[in-house]
Amino acid sequence: MYVAVLRGINVSGRHLIKMEALRHALQLLGFQQITTYIQSGNMIFHSDITDEKTLENMISNMILQHFGYDIPCIVIHKDQLDHIINQNPLSAQLDKDVAFFHVTLLAEKPKSNDIATLREKKHPEEEIFLVDRTVYLYCPNGYGKTKLTNNLIESKLKLSATTRNWKTLQELFKMASQTVHK
């Protein structure tokens, strides 16, 4: 099973895509067992294609053709999502409220592991960690108030990215784990 996350659909009235239409378009690509979660471009699906970059390109091209939006897409296998959840360096900090955990998925591993420029932008009580192609954020004042936005992360790391809250990532993993290819 694969999890796909789209960047910037159905946000503030922009790039509107109904989930039913998105599921139908994914079926046309030959994907199976397609499920969406909330309205912000979170999808679970099965495909016989195993190259994630190929899947990302297929989905992005389909969205451009069917809906007219140039939308970045990140695809990860369910097992990778499990790894992302289990390697969260914030999880070991028992004083942290998981309601303020956010995870930014990067299109690829950054050329440099140096996130010093991002750390300079954070509030003193915030935390940021870069692990492989994932940025873990702790924003106790809320994600809406942090300077560590998706746009800033993309700009500094020079990569396409999309951010989800911790609850959403866990729900996507739960949904992907419950779906078994027949």
Side-chain angles (χ1 to χ4, degrees), residues 30-95:
F31 299 169
Q32 302 161 344
Q33 295 179 282
I34 303 160
T35 307
T36 54
Y37 176 67
I38 60 178
Q39 299 296 312
S40 59
N42 303 296
M43 304 165 289
I44 291 106
F45 64 92
H46 172 78
S47 174
D48 291 332
I49 298 168
T50 58
D51 182 70
E52 292 162 359
K53 290 296 175 198
T54 299
L55 293 168
E56 289 171 358
N57 290 332
M58 289 174 67
I59 293 169
S60 290
N61 289 335
M62 175 274 298
I63 291 171
L64 184 60
Q65 290 176 353
H66 280 79
F67 304 102
Y69 306 131
D70 186 13
I71 301 292
C73 173
I74 295 176
V75 173
I76 55 177
H77 190 272
K78 173 188 71 84
D79 294 342
Q80 280 181 283
L81 183 55
D82 183 39
H83 184 69
I84 288 167
I85 289 169
N86 287 317
Q87 74 178 0
N88 185 345
L90 296 165
S91 295
Q93 300 179 29
L94 300 178
D95 62 326

Side-chain angles (χ1 to χ4, degrees), residues 115-172:
I115 61 167
T117 55
L118 290 169
R119 285 198 174 108
E120 292 170 3
K121 300 288 185 185
K122 75 178 193 69
H123 295 287
E125 64 280 2
E126 293 178 334
E127 293 195 41
I128 182 169
F129 297 94
L130 173 63
V131 180
D132 195 30
R133 47 183 281 216
T134 307
V135 177
Y136 296 92
L137 301 168
Y138 178 66
C139 305
N141 298 320
Y143 187 73
K145 294 183 180 173
T146 187
K147 292 181 181 177
L148 300 172
T149 64
N150 199 86
N151 288 340
L152 178 72
I153 291 169
E154 284 183 324
S155 166
K156 296 299 180 186
L157 297 180
K158 300 187 180 2
L159 291 169
S160 180
T162 188
T163 302
R164 297 297 187 269
N165 66 41
W166 191 241
K167 179 183 174 192
T168 296
L169 277 190
Q170 289 186 312
E171 187 61 30
L172 289 170

Side-chain angles (χ1 to χ4, degrees), residues 4-42:
V5 287
L6 304 177
R7 184 188 188 299
I9 70 161
N10 299 338
V11 178
S12 301
R14 294 191 43 178
H15 302 126
L16 298 177
I17 300 176
K18 295 209 179 290
M19 293 300 101
E20 182 178 341
L22 183 59
R23 286 189 299 272
H24 177 72
L26 291 171
Q27 285 177 332
L28 297 175
L29 293 176
F31 299 169
Q32 302 161 344
Q33 295 179 282
I34 303 160
T35 307
T36 54
Y37 176 67
I38 60 178
Q39 299 296 312
S40 59
N42 303 296

